[in-house]
Amino acid sequence: MTRLTELHRINHKIKQSDRVISSKYQCIKTAEKTKTKKQTKIPSLCIALCSALTRLNFIPFSSEENMSTSPTPYADEKFKTGSAVFEGVTGQSAQAFVTAFDDVAPGFGRYIIEWEFGDLYSRPGLDLRYREVAIIASCATLGVIGHAALKMHILVALRAGLTKNEIGEILMQVAFAAGLPTAIGAIGVAREAFSEFSV
């Protein structure tokens, strides 16, 4: 199949999916008018969207037979790069990080290493200090669900040369966007990370 033919096929499928999704959305919109206020529209829309995309084969892992657990050569290279970056910035074993997820979500730790550290951390444009400022602020705004990642990235930031005072300032700034309780929780996480940090 030529590249042009493949593009035409994909364009046709996109148009099909637009029609199916639009139709599903209209049905959901009509049905939502009869639901109580406590019910949410989002799950219904997500289900319709996933259903439509699956029928049109837009979701690559829509069935067990399509799922592949073996990494591609590209993924192997990203994992190798990501592992080196992860170990360099955290001072921890990438394999231990990956293994920590295997009992509940096998392969998830590997995806994090490949994507976050193999792709994003390897991009030019920001040095490690700036990356960590962005990640610390983002994780802090997530509240308690971001605390584990926040602690890890505070330790990485300290290794990268950010000072405790700079990290404190970042977390105080979070209060204006995410609220005082969120910032107070993040400051507590920072306190733990500071006590564990050793050069």
Side-chain angles (χ1 to χ4, degrees):
M1 185 179 301
T2 68
R3 185 171 173 81
L4 186 59
T5 306
E6 180 65 10
L7 289 173
H8 284 298
R9 188 185 66 78
I10 290 170
N11 187 39
H12 177 71
K13 284 196 171 214
I14 290 170
K15 286 180 181 174
Q16 281 182 305
S17 69
D18 285 346
R19 284 192 296 272
V20 171
I21 291 166
S22 177
S23 167
K24 286 279 189 181
Y25 180 72
Q26 291 306 319
C27 291
I28 291 167
K29 217 169 146 185
T30 304
E32 292 296 335
K33 291 178 183 174
T34 63
K35 291 185 177 181
T36 66
K37 289 182 180 179
K38 290 183 179 180
Q39 293 173 315
T40 178
K41 297 177 183 180
I42 301 299
S44 300
L45 184 57
C46 290
I47 291 167
L49 177 61
C50 290
S51 170
L53 293 176
T54 302
R55 277 201 319 280
L56 294 168
N57 295 322
F58 264 68
I59 298 177
F61 303 125
S62 59
S63 62
E64 288 295 322
E65 64 271 8
N66 289 338
M67 295 182 109
S68 173
T69 55
S70 58
T72 65
Y74 175 77
D76 283 337
E77 186 60 36
K78 285 294 174 191
F79 182 71
K80 185 177 175 183
T81 301
S83 294
V85 171
F86 178 88
E87 291 173 358
V89 299
T90 67
Q92 299 173 11
S93 162
Q95 193 54 52
F97 178 82
V98 169
T99 304
F101 292 94
D102 284 349
D103 60 332
V104 176
F108 187 61
R110 182 182 173 100
Y111 293 135
I112 294 170
I113 295 290
E114 289 170 5
W115 183 56
E116 183 177 359
F117 295 93
D119 280 331
L120 291 176
Y121 267 71
S122 299
R123 290 178 56 83
L126 288 178
D127 67 18
L128 183 57
R129 286 172 46 93
Y130 283 119
R131 286 186 195 284
E132 291 307 321
V133 167
I135 294 170
I136 286 170
S138 299
C139 289
T141 62
L142 293 173
V144 72
I145 61 171
H147 283 181
L150 175 62
K151 185 176 180 180
M152 182 183 105
H153 284 286
I154 288 172
L155 291 168
V156 170
L158 290 167
R159 285 174 54 94
L162 261 71
T163 66
K164 292 177 181 180
N165 286 342
E166 289 171 325
I167 292 169
E169 288 293 328
I170 293 165
L171 298 177
M172 285 193 292
Q173 194 67 40
V174 163
F176 293 102
L180 288 172
T182 303
I184 290 168
I187 289 168
V189 172
R191 185 177 295 113
E192 289 175 29
F194 293 166
S195 70
E196 292 177 20
F197 178 68
S198 59
V199 180

